[in-house]
Amino acid sequence: MMTKEQSKAHLFAPLTIKSVTLKNRIGVSPMCQYSCEDGMLNDWHLVHLGSRAVGGAGLIIIEATGVEPRGRISPWDAGLWSDQQVEPIARISRFLKQYGAMPGIQLAHAGRKASTARPWEGGHSLSNEQGGWETIGPSALAFGQEISRVPREMTIGDLRTVKESFRAAAMRALEAGCEWLELHAAHGYLLHEFYSPLSNKRQDEYGGTFENRIRLTIETARVIRGVWPDRLPFTVRISCTDWVDGGWTIEESVELSRRLKTEGVDLIDCSSAFNTPDYAAIPFGAGFQVPFSERIRREAEILTATVGYITNAMQADGIVRNGRADVVLMAREMLRNPYWAFTAADILRHKKEPPSQYARAID
C-alpha cells in the first residue's frame, strides 16, 4: 500500500535530502563528453551542463570524473586528482546553482576499462605509444573485444592508493561547490569489477565471497563519507545485475544497498550491466531498469534513482507517483531536448519557471 508521503510525491515535487532540496525529481545523468585536456572541464561542459540547468532540471551530475590519471576511461576524461582541476568545476557549479539546479558530480575509476580511445574513435584499448597507460583491476582479466588490454592485478598497496584518491577527490569536489556526490560503482568500472564474480577471481580478502567482493566498495564509501559533510547527499551508482548467468544479481544489490545505507549513503542510483562486452541478454526497452530501483527502495529502505530509456513525462511522473524511485535521471533524452522539464511541465499541467530571458517564449 502506498504511504501518505509517497502519495504526495510526483515528478515536480521537491525532494529534501539532508540540508539540500531538489526543486523537482528530474535529474541529468552523468554523461562522459570525452572533451577535457589534462582532466580540466572547459567551455563545452559549461554550455552542455548549463543549458540543462536553464532548461529546468532539478539535479545535474557532472560526468564520471577520474580520481587519478590511470582511472580515466580515456585521455580526454574529466579529473579531480589535482587542485588545478577545482576551479573549472567550481565555475560550472556556480552557474548551475544560479539557475536553480543542484550541482552534483560522479567520482570514478575505470579500472580495467581505462586507457581507451573515445567512442567515436573506436573505443579500443590504447597502447602506450598511442597515449595509453597500464591499467589495474581486481584480477589480470581483460574486459574483452576492443578493450583488450590486460590489467595488472591490484596489490593491497594499490587499493590503499585508490581509496586515498577517492578521499582527496571528494574534498576537492566540496571545494568546487558540488552539493551532491555520487560514487561510481557500476558499468564495469573498478568497484563493479570487484563486486562482480565475472571479473574478480582474487583469493585474498577482496575476492571470493560476497563479503570480500563488496569490501572495496564499502571501504571506499566509508572513506568518502568521512570527508564529505553529513549535511550533503552522498549517493552510489551500482549495476543491479550483470544480466549474465553466474554474475552479480539483484538480490546481491539489495544487500549491498543495505550495507551502504549503514555507511551513510543516502540514495542508490540504480543502473545495470556493462561488465562484459556481451549485451545480448539485456532487455533494453522503456524503463527496463525501474524494477531494480523499486525493489531496492522497498527492500533496502533507501531512496533510489532510476535511469534508462525514460523519455516521456507521464512515464517519469508515474515512476515517482507509484513509489518506484525518488529521482528520475535522464541522459539521451536530455541530449535531444535540454528543455525537457518545460515540456514535461506542460504535459503534466505544472507551472513552469523559466529564466526571465526565456519567459516570454516559454510561458
Side-chain angles (χ1 to χ4, degrees):
M1 180 178 293
M2 186 179 297
T3 68
K4 182 178 180 181
E5 189 63 31
Q6 287 174 332
S7 68
K8 295 180 180 178
H10 58 83
L11 190 63
F12 284 92
L15 175 64
T16 298
I17 304 177
K18 301 292 182 62
S19 68
V20 304
T21 299
L22 305 183
K23 67 180 180 181
N24 56 46
R25 311 298 182 93
I26 301 167
V28 177
S29 193
M31 292 178 277
C32 291
Q33 300 296 292
Y34 305 102
S35 299
C36 296
E37 291 186 13
D38 298 322
M40 307 276 282
L41 272 65
N42 53 47
D43 287 351
W44 172 266
H45 302 89
L46 177 65
V47 174
H48 164 65
L49 298 167
S51 62
R52 276 87 196 161
V54 170
L59 169 67
I60 297 177
I61 307 175
I62 295 171
E63 65 189 78
T65 302
V67 299
E68 61 173 12
R70 66 181 171 178
R72 295 170 294 167
I73 304 167
S74 81
W76 302 275
D77 282 25
L80 249 184
W81 62 80
S82 166
D83 292 344
Q84 292 180 319
Q85 294 160 340
V86 170
E87 178 50 35
I89 294 173
R91 175 191 181 211
I92 291 169
S93 294
R94 290 190 294 267
F95 188 91
L96 300 183
K97 284 191 278 190
Q98 182 180 354
Y99 289 97
M102 181 62 57
I105 192 167
Q106 184 187 69
L107 298 184
H109 194 296
R112 68 176 182 169
K113 293 176 78 174
S115 185
T116 67
R118 290 180 282 203
W120 57 86
E121 295 169 344
H124 54 273
S125 289
L126 294 174
S127 68
N128 291 0
E129 293 71 27
Q130 295 171 314
W133 56 88
E134 178 187 63
T135 59
I136 56 176
S139 303
L141 296 172
F143 176 77
Q145 294 187 5
E146 70 276 4
I147 305 178
S148 57
R149 184 186 277 264
V150 177
R152 176 174 59 78
E153 182 171 313
M154 294 175 70
T155 65
I156 297 301
D158 291 326
L159 296 174
R160 286 195 294 265
T161 297
V162 166
K163 286 183 285 186
E164 170 57 25
S165 296
F166 273 103
R167 185 195 69 82
M171 294 176 67
R172 292 189 182 101
L174 182 64
E175 184 181 352
C178 299
E179 297 183 9
W180 179 290
L181 190 147
E182 177 168 279
L183 173 62
H184 198 353
H187 298 171
Y189 299 125
L190 185 65
L191 298 181
H192 183 188
E193 292 165 18
F194 267 86
Y195 65 70
S196 170
L198 300 178
S199 45
N200 186 344
K201 304 300 181 182
R202 298 174 74 94
Q203 301 298 315
D204 63 2
E205 64 267 39
Y206 288 91
T209 66
F210 171 80
E211 297 281 348
N212 287 353
R213 287 184 283 109
I214 68 170
R215 191 181 306 278
L216 182 60
T217 301
I218 296 295
E219 289 179 349
T220 304
R222 187 178 300 154
V223 164
I224 291 175
R225 187 80 267 186
V227 297
W228 186 250
D230 188 58
R231 62 184 173 82
L232 297 178
F234 175 35
T235 76
V236 179
R237 171 169 276 190
I238 65 173
S239 279
C240 295
T241 177
D242 283 329
W243 296 108
V244 175
D245 289 342
W248 181 257
T249 67
I250 179 58
E251 290 77 19
E252 290 173 308
S253 288
V254 171
E255 182 57 29
L256 174 59
S257 298
R258 291 190 183 108
R259 308 286 184 94
L260 289 169
K261 181 180 178 181
T262 68
E263 297 295 337
V265 171
D266 300 299
L267 176 146
I268 302 296
D269 179 357
C270 300
S271 188
S272 69
F274 306 120
N275 194 32
T276 72
D278 182 6
Y279 305 149
I282 304 175
F284 292 114
F288 74 106
Q289 295 174 145
V290 174
F292 301 141
S293 62
E294 180 179 21
R295 182 168 174 182
I296 288 174
R297 187 177 190 268
R298 180 180 68 250
E299 296 183 19
E301 298 182 322
I302 190 170
L303 299 175
T304 61
T306 192
V307 65
Y309 291 81
I310 299 168
T311 59
N312 69 72
M314 296 298 289
Q315 176 193 19
D317 189 51
I319 290 168
V320 177
R321 285 187 184 274
N322 291 303
R324 308 190 75 191
D326 300 279
V327 177
V328 175
L329 298 175
M330 288 178 286
R332 292 174 179 84
E333 193 63 21
M334 282 290 180
L335 294 181
R336 289 187 282 263
N337 180 8
Y339 309 101
W340 186 91
F342 296 144
T343 303
D346 278 336
I347 293 170
L348 298 172
R349 299 183 180 181
H350 185 85
K351 178 178 172 58
K352 299 189 295 294
E353 297 180 358
S356 300
Q357 298 93 325
Y358 286 9
R360 288 174 295 173
I362 293 178
D363 273 348

